[in-house]
């Protein structure tokens, strides 16, 4: 799957909007990314998962680990395609942890899978959960890389597409300066 194919799926499902948006953070952007909107279609989630699996199969993972909630759906699909377990880590008292009886051990070769990597922070935190359980972390995979810096991540990263989503303070927003009306994503136009 080529980067443009991925972006087409995102656009057609409304998971990638282009225009002038006010994000939940209050910042403005010319792009809005909400991967849950593409992953709500199981056939599309399966295709994206298969594409990530094809890029990471050579690493020979024995398990996929994703951070909840955003990584769960794509993690499941990557695990399905690789034929390995798909686990997720979730927050308890602010820290990502394995719950629900999920276990990893020294025999596990773990691939961290997320929908979108922004700074790599949650990726590294998820990797540390696996390492803390004694597993070996092979690398990370995401549908969209929003600009993670692999040197900071200290992990090899595979992404189907790299897409920057620049954000602006409202008083420094070039789109506002052009007089373009700003919309809140999700509101019907
Ligand atoms: Zn603006």
């Amino acid at each position: 799957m080529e980067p443009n194919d991925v972006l087409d799926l995102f656009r057609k499902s409304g998971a990638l909007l282009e225009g002038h948006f006010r994000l939940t953070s209050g910042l403005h952007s010319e792009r809005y990314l909400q991967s849950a909107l593409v992953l709500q279609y199981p056939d599309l989630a399966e295709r994206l998962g298969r594409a990530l699996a094809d890029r990471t199969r050579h690493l020979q993972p024995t398990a996929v680990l994703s951070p909840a909630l955003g990584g769960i759906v794509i993690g499941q699909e990557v695990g399905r395609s690789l034929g390995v377990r798909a686990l997720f880590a979730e927050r308890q008292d602010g820290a990502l942890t394995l719950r629900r009886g999920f276990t990893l051990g020294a025999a596990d070769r773990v691939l961290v899978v997320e929908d979108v990597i922004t700074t790599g922070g949650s990726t590294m935190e998820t990797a540390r959960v696996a390492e803390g359980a004694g597993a070996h972390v092979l690398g990370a995979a995401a549908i969209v890389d929003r600009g993670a810096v692999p040197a900071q991540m200290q992990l090899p990263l595979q992404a189907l597409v790299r897409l920057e989503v620049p954000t602006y303070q409202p008083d420094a927003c070039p789109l506002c300066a052009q007089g373009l009306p700003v919309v809140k994503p999700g509101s019907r136009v």
Side-chain angles (χ1 to χ4, degrees):
M1 194 180 273
E2 296 301 314
N4 278 334
D5 301 328
V6 177
L7 292 178
D8 278 349
L9 293 186
F10 270 69
R11 287 194 184 99
K12 284 178 184 162
S13 60
L16 173 61
L17 303 178
E18 282 149 320
H20 181 197
F21 304 102
R22 184 188 301 111
L23 307 178
T24 311
S25 60
L27 299 174
H28 290 196
S29 182
E30 60 236 44
R31 290 188 176 132
Y32 173 69
L33 191 63
Q34 179 45 272
S35 60
L37 292 177
V38 66
L39 295 172
Q40 71 181 314
Y41 299 104
D43 57 327
L44 302 186
E46 185 182 21
R47 281 175 63 185
L48 293 165
R50 196 185 312 128
L52 278 177
D54 288 346
R55 299 233 188 152
T56 52
R57 189 169 282 112
H58 67 280
L59 298 171
Q60 298 184 292
T62 63
V64 162
L65 180 65
S66 299
L69 285 165
I72 292 179
V73 173
I74 189 65
Q76 177 82 10
E77 293 299 336
V78 173
R80 183 204 307 279
S81 188
L82 290 172
V84 303
R85 289 189 297 152
L87 289 65
F88 56 88
E90 57 200 302
R91 291 203 182 276
Q92 186 172 33
D93 301 326
L96 274 184
T97 182
L98 291 178
R99 301 182 68 186
R100 303 169 195 270
F102 285 151
T103 57
L104 289 169
D108 285 304
R109 297 164 53 82
V110 173
L111 179 69
V112 174
V113 175
E114 287 191 88
D115 54 345
V116 177
I117 291 184
T118 300
T119 64
S122 67
T123 310
M124 289 309 300
E125 195 179 353
T126 306
R128 282 192 290 268
V129 169
E131 287 166 353
H136 177 60
V137 177
L138 303 165
I143 308 169
V144 180
D145 170 12
R146 280 186 51 180
V149 182
Q152 287 177 350
M153 292 229 326
Q154 302 165 321
L155 274 182
L157 168 66
Q158 285 285 345
L160 296 182
V161 64
R162 185 181 168 99
L163 180 74
E164 298 201 1
V165 183
T167 54
Y168 311 105
Q169 294 292 340
D171 59 6
C173 173
L175 305 163
C176 284
Q178 292 170 40
L180 296 171
V182 64
V183 296
K184 185 169 163 285
S187 53
R188 299 275 170 190
V189 182

